[in-house]
Amino acid sequence: GIVVLGLNRSHAKNALSKNLVKMISKAVDALKSDKKVRTVIFRSEVPGIFCAGADLKERAKMHSSEVSSFVSRARATINELANLPVPTIAAIDGTALGGGLELALACDIRVAASSAKMGLVETKLAIIPGAGGTQRLPRTIGVSLAKELIFSARIVDGEEAKSIGLISHVVEQNEAGDAAYRRALALAKEFLPQGPVAMRVAKLAINQGMEVDLVTGLAIEEACYAQTIPTKDRIEGLLAFKEKRPPRYKGE
């Protein structure tokens, strides 16, 4: 039930090219309706790098109209990732800058090695984050601090990222260079025993509820809760509890 999507464009530090964005979009689209998928982990197969952001060498060759189209496509792809119905975890074992951090921000949970480097550095290039960074970063760490990081183009390490709430877990890097991935895998395994329908509906309730007032959010929760009542998962969960055994969910 755990799907691992690994970025592997080593010659370009996993920079987001038109082709890589297209491949990510295709992979995410394939996961949307796959009921066997329970959790998705985004990681890098390239040591020391998560994603260096947009491919600036490719962008330099684009016409201005092409740049706008590319940024729109990247933004849409990252939105598709954010809207996956199952939990998503970004395992940041290396550098995540610009679009790379925006990709991680679209995941539900972020885990990073203490040595990892993260930042929205677009203002150094006289542009702004264009794939969700100006919206997701303040929702994650607060408005004032998000402004500070974007205005300064500051890069933070894993320890500071944890202290400001940018990531949920920080781990010391290991010899293999995949400590964050291993922690992400452990988290994903914690999610596996839970009811699949409940997990999907819980994510929906949280995501929609965070964008509205509390009264409306509680109404959303009520509507989402109602979706779990008729499922076989719920019946199996209650039966397993009564029989003091692990439940055997089918995601129905």
Side-chain angles (χ1 to χ4, degrees):
I2 300 173
V3 173
V4 180
L5 295 181
L7 300 175
N8 192 2
R9 193 171 179 242
S10 59
H11 68 283
K13 298 182 178 180
N14 288 340
L16 297 170
S17 63
K18 289 189 288 186
N19 188 52
L20 182 55
V21 169
K22 182 179 179 180
M23 292 172 70
I24 293 173
S25 178
K26 185 177 180 179
V28 170
D29 190 58
L31 296 173
K32 287 179 183 177
S33 57
D34 190 338
K35 299 298 183 182
K36 295 179 180 179
V37 177
R38 303 287 295 279
T39 301
V40 177
I41 298 175
F42 265 84
R43 66 168 302 197
S44 168
E45 303 286 346
V46 182
I49 290 290
F50 178 74
C51 174
D55 188 332
L56 298 181
K57 290 182 179 180
E58 181 184 72
R59 181 176 292 190
K61 299 176 183 177
M62 293 182 189
H63 187 271
S64 58
S65 61
E66 288 183 281
V67 173
S68 178
S69 177
F70 169 74
V71 173
S72 294
R73 179 65 185 272
R75 184 186 303 115
T77 297
I78 289 176
N79 283 341
E80 289 169 7
L81 166 61
N83 291 326
L84 276 175
V86 296
T88 53
I89 307 172
I92 308 170
D93 275 304
T95 302
L97 301 178
L101 182 55
E102 289 177 305
L103 187 67
L105 282 166
C107 293
D108 299 313
I109 300 165
R110 285 161 297 285
V111 180
S114 57
S115 58
K117 305 296 182 183
M118 290 157 269
L120 295 179
V121 297
E122 285 86 349
T123 52
K124 283 186 177 181
L125 302 173
I127 58 175
I128 70 169
T134 64
Q135 302 305 305
R136 291 193 175 93
L137 188 62
R139 283 169 166 79
T140 301
I141 66 174
V143 174
S144 181
L145 191 51
K147 287 179 178 178
E148 180 181 330
L149 293 185
I150 291 173
F151 294 166
S152 66
R154 186 184 306 150
I155 296 173
V156 301
D157 62 17
E159 295 290 351
E160 185 174 357
K162 175 66 169 65
S163 71
I164 63 177
L166 179 55
I167 62 175
S168 300
H169 302 275
V170 59
V171 291
E172 288 297 319
Q173 190 56 281
N174 56 27
E175 290 186 9
D178 65 351
Y181 168 64
R182 290 179 183 272
R183 185 69 180 92
L185 197 57
L187 276 174
K189 289 178 180 177
E190 286 187 49
F191 302 160
L192 282 181
Q194 320 315 329
V197 173
M199 294 289 280
R200 291 168 182 259
V201 175
K203 177 171 178 174
L204 180 65
I206 295 168
N207 284 357
Q208 291 189 351
M210 287 301 295
E211 303 301 322
V212 298
D213 62 88
L214 180 60
V215 173
T216 305
L218 290 171
I220 291 171
E221 179 186 77
E222 182 178 9
C224 287
Y225 184 87
Q227 294 181 41
T228 68
I229 292 177
T231 63
K232 294 180 180 179
D233 276 354
R234 179 175 179 272
I235 297 171
E236 167 60 14
L238 295 173
L239 188 61
F241 178 79
K242 181 180 179 180
E243 297 176 357
K244 298 181 179 180
R245 60 169 175 80
R248 295 183 288 271
Y249 295 121
K250 296 181 180 179
E252 298 176 4

